[in-house]
Amino acid sequence: MEMFPSPFAALVHVFCRERHQGSARSAWLRLLRLPGWAREQKARLMRNADGSSPPTTEITIMATTYNETVVHRGHRASALFVPFPFVCFTLALITDILFWRTANLMWQNFSAWLLFAGGVFGGLAVLTGLFDWLRPASRRLMPGIAASIGFIIMLLISVVNSLIHAGDGWTAVVPNGLIASALTMLVMIVTLVLAARRPVIYRRVS
């Protein structure tokens, strides 16, 4: 009697034998009749040499499957406004550097408008963030406390930076405005790292 380490190995052996003795079509047709064919092969493999079937013991394995899915119910209204300050303040640092290197007043005007736009959208993000915090469905999707504090600090520095850029001439950007923009970028990076480190919330589904 041929012994195989697993039923899958027995199925592979029988399929290869059918393929070698007959054609590929007969082998695949045998696979299409897999339920009855598998029972037949199992009975053949378990039959003793004298033709009698040995006593068998059926073991039922009960397994519990746990499904974990990420909670996606609800949405954050603040997510519409949060990206704008990050983009505006990054571009403001770039235009400050360009003004520092070229002394072209156009870059100073760009920086002032970018800081203003970033402050407006940042204020809207804070207001909608408070609304999200009051809603249970969106509260669990909010970033951590540390990331929220970092975002507020970034906005406060940008307000001071906007007042610095409100001046005229070279001193409106260099050196105080450029330092404030670089500090805003540093706080922005720390805020993004803190927001990315927040763990994903899972819910066990029965």
Side-chain angles (χ1 to χ4, degrees), residues 1 42-56:
M1 180 177 64
K42 178 181 178 182
R44 186 185 65 82
L45 292 175
M46 296 183 63
R47 190 174 297 115
N48 290 333
D50 56 358
S52 61
S53 298
T56 59

Side-chain angles (χ1 to χ4, degrees), residues 46-93:
M46 296 183 63
R47 190 174 297 115
N48 290 333
D50 56 358
S52 61
S53 298
T56 59
T57 302
E58 293 185 358
I59 300 176
T60 303
I61 301 176
M62 301 183 64
T64 303
T65 302
Y66 295 94
N67 296 325
E68 291 187 349
T69 57
V70 182
V71 176
H72 287 294
R73 289 188 298 179
H75 62 277
R76 291 190 306 150
S78 58
L80 298 174
F81 305 103
V82 168
F84 287 96
F86 291 94
V87 175
C88 291
F89 297 155
T90 302
L91 294 177
L93 176 61

Side-chain angles (χ1 to χ4, degrees), residues 89-90 92-94 96-97 115 157 161 165 175-189:
F89 297 155
T90 302
L93 176 61
I94 295 175
D96 281 348
I97 295 175
L115 290 172
I157 298 176
N161 196 13
H165 280 75
N176 295 331
L178 188 59
I179 294 175
S181 296
L183 184 59
T184 303
M185 174 64 67
L186 179 61
V187 176
M188 184 190 311
I189 295 174

Side-chain angles (χ1 to χ4, degrees), residues 7-29:
F8 177 76
L11 296 178
V12 172
H13 173 76
V14 175
F15 175 76
C16 293
R17 187 180 61 186
E18 291 289 334
R19 177 65 180 87
H20 177 71
Q21 296 178 356
S23 62
R25 182 175 178 273
S26 61
W28 285 111
L29 288 177

Side-chain angles (χ1 to χ4, degrees), residues 82-163:
V82 168
F84 287 96
F86 291 94
V87 175
C88 291
F89 297 155
T90 302
L91 294 177
L93 176 61
I94 295 175
T95 52
D96 281 348
I97 295 175
L98 291 174
F99 177 77
W100 172 43
R101 303 305 299 173
T102 63
N104 191 335
L105 291 178
M106 176 186 67
W107 301 119
Q108 179 190 358
N109 295 330
F110 282 170
S111 297
W113 281 107
L114 287 170
L115 290 172
F116 176 76
V120 170
F121 283 103
L124 292 175
V126 172
L127 293 177
T128 53
L130 294 176
F131 175 74
D132 291 335
W133 187 81
L134 295 176
R135 296 174 57 216
S138 58
R139 184 183 306 169
R140 67 185 65 186
L141 301 176
M142 295 290 292
I145 299 297
S148 301
I149 294 176
F151 186 79
I152 295 176
I153 293 176
M154 180 185 68
L155 292 181
L156 293 177
I157 298 176
S158 68
V159 171
V160 176
N161 196 13
S162 295
L163 296 178

Side-chain angles (χ1 to χ4, degrees), residues 191-199:
T191 302
L192 291 174
V193 172
L194 293 174
R197 289 173 59 89
R198 178 174 174 82

